[in-house]
Amino acid sequence: MSTEAAAARLREEGPNELPRAGQRSLLRILVEVLREPMLALLLLGGIAYLLLGDRAEALILLAFATFSVVVTVVQETRTEHVLEALRDLSAPRALVLRDGVRVRIPGREVVCGDLIVLEQGDRIAADAILLEAADLQTDESLLTGESLPVGKTASGPDSTDAARRPGGEGQPFVYSGSLVTRGSGVGRVLATGPRSEIGRIGQSLATLDTDAPRLRRETARLVAWCGIGGGVIAALVVLLYGLLRGGWIEAALAGIAIGMSMLPEEFPVVLTVFLAMGAWRVGKVGVLTRRAAAIEALGSATVLCTDKTGTLTENRMSVARLWLPSGDTIRVRGDDAVPPDYHALIETAALASAVEPSDPMEVALHAARAQVPASGRGGTVAHAYALRPELLAMSNIWDDGEQLALCAKGAPEAIATLCRLAPADAASMAAAVEAMAAEGIRVLAVANATPSDRNWAATQHDYAYALAGLVGLADPLRTSVPAAVAECRAAGIRVVMITGDYAATARAIANQAGIAAGDVLTGADLASLDDAALAARLRSVTVFARIMPEQKLRIVQAFKADGEIVAMTGDGVNDAPSLKAAHIGIAMGKRGTDVAREASAIVLLDDDFGSIVRSVRLGRQIYDNIRKAMAFIFAVHVPIAGLALLPLFFGLPILFGPIHIALLEMVIDPVCALVFEAEPAEGDVMRRPPRAPDEPLFSLPMIAWSVFQGCLAFAMLATVFLVETWSGMPEAELRALIFFALIAEIVALVLVNRAFSAALGTALVRHNMALRYIAAAILGVTGVILFAPWAQALLKFGSIAWSDMAFAVALGIALLLALESCKPRLRGIARAASRPARTRGGAT
């Protein structure tokens, strides 16, 4: 294909990639931000001040609005680009023939009709029909779940009419996402992007719904009700003010101030910022969050379904045991020298592998051979017998120029058949295999033979093999796994292993990882159970072995039907339905497919199980901090709204206008978004059971505790306001006094809500750099207002005596001490407010 033709076809068919779903444009983000009601109130206030001729206040309100818009848009835009960066890094490249020349191009630029060159180790970029195939084998496990490579043949005259379906030997088709494990070939591309087999599976995921973000719905509903109530009250204020006092523009400003004071617009802001910052924090431990709702769900996960290879283990095979037919066996440790008696076994196993290995086990065998003295055996591979479903063994015939040597390796039962072992010898080998499998070691049997001539036999069965021994290979457990599993168990999260490995191996790895003792259920046993029987078995099973990928979806659905909150790991295309069906789908970032990542809620960039546990810890911390911020918001809006309404009831001048409320919001918003978000985790965050997923964020105990705090603050401020008014304090001085007293009480409410414990010292000494910055900013703004005449004139503040400032600070201290003294008496309410108890049975 020519470069020009390929470019035209790329424009016509689109790139060879999965559709990018859900990406928002900058314009769409901007429109969503402009819908916020608080922004509308700020704009209305600015217009009202312009009508009054007060340009300074109008510009300040408009500046507040612009600042809010810019920060939100920048933050939202950044989150949209995170996944795109990962996709670009993980996109495969392809070697194609263009204009008669081999050229390597991005996989997304491959088009139908391209000639694609396949070599060992390549990730196939598109579905293709083979024109040439030289001992070609591909790993299609990402599509089929079968771990064994399948052989491919070049196409014949009738091949184009044959049905295309991944899996099975002797096909002339290769599929996008598969890995070339052996040989080479050339194919003509038949399908790309969503038209490929991997693309069709990805499109079928649309039939599965993901859980909606409950916190966002709950928050939006509360803000809507508060908005309706605040709007009604603001409208009444405008009407009564205009009718009783005259001056409809002033009435509009009073109504806007009331509306701003009663609208808890911080709720959605806090939720957005906390979850976005949470995604960033989780990203720092090697986890990419694709959906913010996953952070919320992490705190309530009760079951964590994890695969074995690469997640619990390092996905790095090494020779761990060697066994000879004489019964002698040794354990291989690191770089320790292997006795000479075992050199021939290691060399035969390596010669039975691919010359340039990509399979982890074959890589380990070649590495072991490199550590023993060379015997001179080898030469070139004259003929090879590939692994077949009916015989799980492979052989290479080597020619060194003088003699032929046949080396074979494979499943022990297959090699035993080839060697025609006597019953006693077969039983001895089987016992050795069982002993290794019980330690979590994967076992290969090795054999050799001497071909009599170059008339290669049709099958491996036609040679006289002699058993060379057994090679045990281990995938070491990640060092962080036992501690991480123990932390999960302490947190009430049940860890379940789901693997395609043998039951004995899986149970051994589970024991090493510290997964709770329990039953082992195999895929064959699972297939024989109906849903009721499976539900009955679930509570005692901790290891699922020999599981096919399509069975994972059934396991996830069974756990969900039993009321569990399920987190699920996976990497293959066939894992995608179970990843999407789980409450928290966790895809592998290094070895996973794009389809798995699209179906998941979070992506492990380092494929490490410990990252999942760290994410759970952070998820619980983030949820705790959201509740702290929400409690603070409830509490702080009570005195603000009360002080905005109080003068109207007593026929006094309006105390706070829109500019004062906006200035207060400039204190409250950073406190919510920065201080509470940066709060460290509570000491027992991973020692408490998972929270109930249906527990409301705004529980009655939390609201009661928050309203109590706000009412106490308002009572203190209202008393001062009324007493000073009746004693004749000038309006401007009184406004300044109450404003600074309110700031002091806001700081007190921050300290009260920082920690769940009752100790005041805890709130004062807990490390939080953001709080120090906010405190410094508050002191700086206070200083500007106190010493800058233009600031006092803008805010309509009179000069305030130092004794009055000391009194304002004393009110904040008094509120802090009063609320801290109430905590022990209201411990039950405070604890329920901030730490919801689990209401359903969970695993321990």
Side-chain angles (χ1 to χ4, degrees):
M1 180 172 284
S2 67
T3 302
E4 292 76 11
R9 187 161 292 182
L10 182 63
R11 289 192 297 270
E12 177 186 343
E13 296 180 350
N16 176 34
E17 61 187 1
L18 297 177
R20 284 166 161 77
Q23 188 177 11
R24 296 181 299 168
S25 67
L26 180 63
L27 179 61
R28 180 179 167 188
I29 294 172
L30 183 60
V31 170
E32 290 178 1
V33 173
L34 291 176
R35 291 177 182 170
E36 291 295 329
M38 178 58 73
L39 184 63
L41 289 174
L42 285 171
L43 294 175
L44 286 174
I47 293 170
Y49 276 119
L50 284 175
L51 293 176
L52 287 173
D54 195 336
R55 274 190 244 171
E57 296 200 19
L59 289 175
I60 289 176
L61 290 183
L62 293 175
F64 287 161
T66 304
F67 175 78
S68 176
V69 170
V70 170
V71 169
T72 307
V73 169
V74 169
Q75 188 176 42
E76 292 284 336
T77 305
R78 283 180 177 175
T79 60
E80 289 295 319
H81 294 307
V82 174
L83 185 63
E84 294 303 306
L86 177 67
R87 292 180 63 127
D88 291 340
L89 288 173
S90 63
R93 298 181 66 80
L95 185 64
V96 299
L97 286 170
R98 293 272 175 90
D99 300 316
V101 178
R102 291 189 178 191
V103 56
R104 194 167 292 278
I105 62 173
R108 68 187 306 273
E109 296 180 8
V110 174
V111 297
C112 286
D114 258 328
L115 288 181
I116 185 168
V117 181
L118 305 175
E119 298 175 343
Q120 185 172 310
D122 284 349
R123 180 75 65 182
I124 300 173
D127 291 3
I129 185 169
L130 289 170
L131 306 181
E132 299 175 11
D135 190 26
L136 182 64
Q137 294 183 11
T138 64
D139 177 0
E140 297 177 354
S141 59
L142 295 176
L143 291 162
T144 65
E146 296 290 343
S147 59
L148 299 176
V150 291
K152 299 293 180 179
T153 60
S155 61
D158 302 325
S159 296
T160 52
D161 298 327
R164 277 190 284 153
R165 182 172 176 81
E169 286 285 334
Q171 284 193 17
F173 301 108
V174 292
Y175 303 95
S176 176
S178 302
L179 180 69
V180 179
T181 59
R182 184 167 181 161
S184 60
V186 176
R188 186 178 298 280
V189 174
L190 298 176
T192 60
R195 295 167 294 279
S196 65
E197 287 295 316
I198 194 172
R200 276 196 285 270
I201 295 176
Q203 289 179 314
S204 71
L205 296 175
T207 60
L208 287 172
D209 294 327
T210 53
D211 293 330
R214 180 182 60 84
L215 285 185
R216 199 172 296 280
R217 292 197 315 269
E218 192 177 343
T219 302
R221 186 167 57 249
L222 181 67
V223 171
W225 281 109
C226 291
I228 293 172
V232 170
I233 294 175
L236 289 174
V237 167
V238 172
L239 186 62
L240 292 175
Y241 193 105
L243 292 175
L244 298 178
R245 300 191 183 188
W248 287 98
I249 294 180
E250 289 83 355
L253 287 173
I256 290 170
I258 296 297
M260 292 174 64
S261 68
M262 299 190 68
L263 181 65
E265 87 291 345
E266 296 92 354
F267 286 155
V269 171
V270 162
L271 198 60
T272 299
V273 171
F274 275 47
L275 294 181
M277 290 296 295
W280 175 74
R281 291 183 186 279
V282 172
K284 290 178 69 177
V285 300
V287 178
L288 172 68
T289 305
R290 295 194 63 252
R291 288 195 289 272
I295 298 176
E296 168 197 350
L298 279 170
S300 59
T302 60
V303 172
L304 174 54
C305 299
T306 177
D307 59 354
K308 176 179 71 69
T309 304
T311 305
L312 296 178
T313 64
E314 295 181 0
N315 197 23
R316 177 183 57 82
M317 303 298 290
S318 60
V319 174
R321 271 196 181 278
L322 298 170
W323 177 88
L324 299 177
S326 63
D328 295 337
T329 182
I330 63 165
R331 184 185 297 274
V332 180
R333 302 179 187 275
D335 296 330
D336 291 351
V338 176
D341 293 347
Y342 297 89
H343 291 179
L345 170 60
I346 293 175
E347 190 171 43
T348 303
L351 292 173
S353 306
V355 178
E356 296 181 2
S358 59
D359 178 83
M361 289 192 292
E362 293 189 340
V363 170
L365 293 174
H366 277 275
R369 186 192 183 194
Q371 295 180 357
V372 302
S375 67
R377 292 171 63 191
T380 60
V381 177
H383 189 69
Y385 295 92
L387 207 67
R388 303 288 180 185
E390 63 274 9
L391 182 66
L392 300 179
M394 60 181 292
S395 299
N396 288 334
I397 299 179
W398 289 84
D399 183 359
D400 63 1
E402 297 180 3
Q403 62 180 0
L404 300 174
L406 189 154
C407 302
K409 75 174 189 332
E413 59 270 22
I415 297 296
T417 301
L418 291 179
C419 294
R420 301 176 180 86
L421 294 180
D425 294 334
S428 176
M429 185 180 78
V433 170
E434 284 295 322
M436 291 189 200
E439 298 179 23
I441 296 174
R442 301 188 69 174
V443 186
L444 291 175
V446 181
N448 50 43
T450 303
S452 57
D453 52 41
R454 292 181 178 273
N455 296 320
W456 313 128
T459 69
Q460 300 176 77
H461 288 286
D462 296 325
Y463 295 98
Y465 286 90
L467 180 65
L470 299 175
V471 177
L473 298 114
D475 185 1
L477 197 71
R478 290 181 184 266
T479 55
S480 63
V481 165
V485 171
E487 195 169 8
C488 279
R489 294 179 66 179
I493 302 172
R494 179 181 169 198
V495 181
V496 174
M497 181 197 292
I498 303 177
T499 179
D501 219 332
Y502 289 98
T505 304
R507 182 71 263 174
I509 294 295
N511 290 339
Q512 294 174 27
I515 294 175
D519 296 341
V520 178
L521 186 66
T522 65
D525 294 336
L526 176 65
S528 66
L529 299 176
D530 59 20
D531 291 344
L534 177 59
R537 290 292 306 276
L538 280 181
R539 299 185 184 185
S540 62
V541 175
T542 54
V543 174
F544 293 88
R546 304 301 287 171
I547 295 295
M548 302 300 290
E550 59 268 20
Q551 291 178 315
K552 292 183 179 181
L553 176 60
R554 189 179 174 203
I555 294 171
V556 169
Q557 290 173 332
F559 274 123
K560 291 177 69 176
D562 196 38
E564 304 288 356
I565 305 302
V566 184
M568 174 79 188
T569 69
D571 57 0
V573 172
N574 269 4
D575 291 333
S578 59
L579 288 172
K580 192 165 186 180
H583 296 96
I584 311 149
I586 304 171
M588 302 297 116
K590 289 183 177 178
R591 55 192 171 91
T593 60
D594 277 349
V595 174
R597 283 193 282 268
E598 288 292 335
S600 66
I602 62 178
V603 179
L604 297 187
L605 300 180
D606 55 3
D607 296 2
D608 185 3
F609 179 82
S611 297
I612 303 175
V613 181
R614 290 191 289 271
S615 300
V616 172
R617 169 184 282 274
L618 283 169
R620 292 189 174 191
Q621 174 185 335
I622 291 163
Y623 190 82
D624 281 351
N625 290 345
I626 287 175
R627 293 184 65 84
K628 293 174 184 178
M630 297 300 187
F632 167 76
I633 292 168
F634 264 116
V636 80
H637 271 274
V638 172
I640 293 176
L643 290 172
L645 287 168
L646 185 64
L648 296 174
F649 285 105
F650 290 90
L652 300 173
I654 296 296
L655 187 63
F656 293 148
I659 192 169
H660 302 101
I661 305 297
L663 186 59
L664 289 170
E665 295 294 340
M666 294 299 289
V667 174
I668 297 169
D669 284 351
V671 165
C672 295
L674 299 176
V675 175
F676 286 108
E677 192 282 327
E679 278 298 305
E682 296 292 315
D684 66 344
V685 69
M686 290 298 281
R687 295 196 302 272
R688 66 176 93 135
R691 61 179 175 82
D694 56 352
E695 178 76 21
L697 176 65
F698 304 102
S699 62
L700 286 177
M702 186 194 87
I703 295 174
W705 170 238
S706 298
V707 171
F708 173 78
Q709 296 178 60
C711 287
L712 184 58
F714 172 63
M716 297 172 68
L717 292 169
T719 301
V720 173
F721 172 72
L722 294 175
V723 169
E724 294 292 352
T725 298
W726 293 331
S727 65
M729 178 177 277
E731 176 188 333
E733 293 180 16
L734 180 58
R735 180 178 292 113
L737 171 63
I738 297 300
F739 182 85
F740 289 121
L742 178 56
I743 292 293
E745 298 209 332
I746 289 174
V747 173
L749 291 174
V750 170
L751 297 177
V752 168
N753 288 281
R754 282 188 66 202
F756 293 155
S757 66
L760 175 59
T762 303
L764 294 175
V765 302
R766 282 166 67 94
H767 177 75
N768 189 326
M769 188 61 69
L771 178 60
R772 299 177 187 177
Y773 292 142
I774 295 297
I778 291 174
L779 289 174
V781 172
T782 301
V784 170
I785 295 173
L786 285 175
F787 298 108
W790 60 266
Q792 295 177 9
L794 181 64
L795 296 172
K796 297 182 175 61
F797 283 174
S799 59
I800 182 172
W802 285 108
S803 58
D804 289 336
M805 276 299 297
F807 179 63
V809 173
L811 282 177
I813 296 174
L815 177 66
L816 175 62
L817 295 175
L819 291 175
E820 286 294 333
S821 66
C822 290
K823 271 188 178 180
R825 297 177 178 83
L826 301 174
R827 187 183 300 273
I829 294 178
R831 183 174 296 157
S834 48
R835 214 178 296 170
R838 193 161 186 82
T839 58
R840 50 176 295 278
T844 59

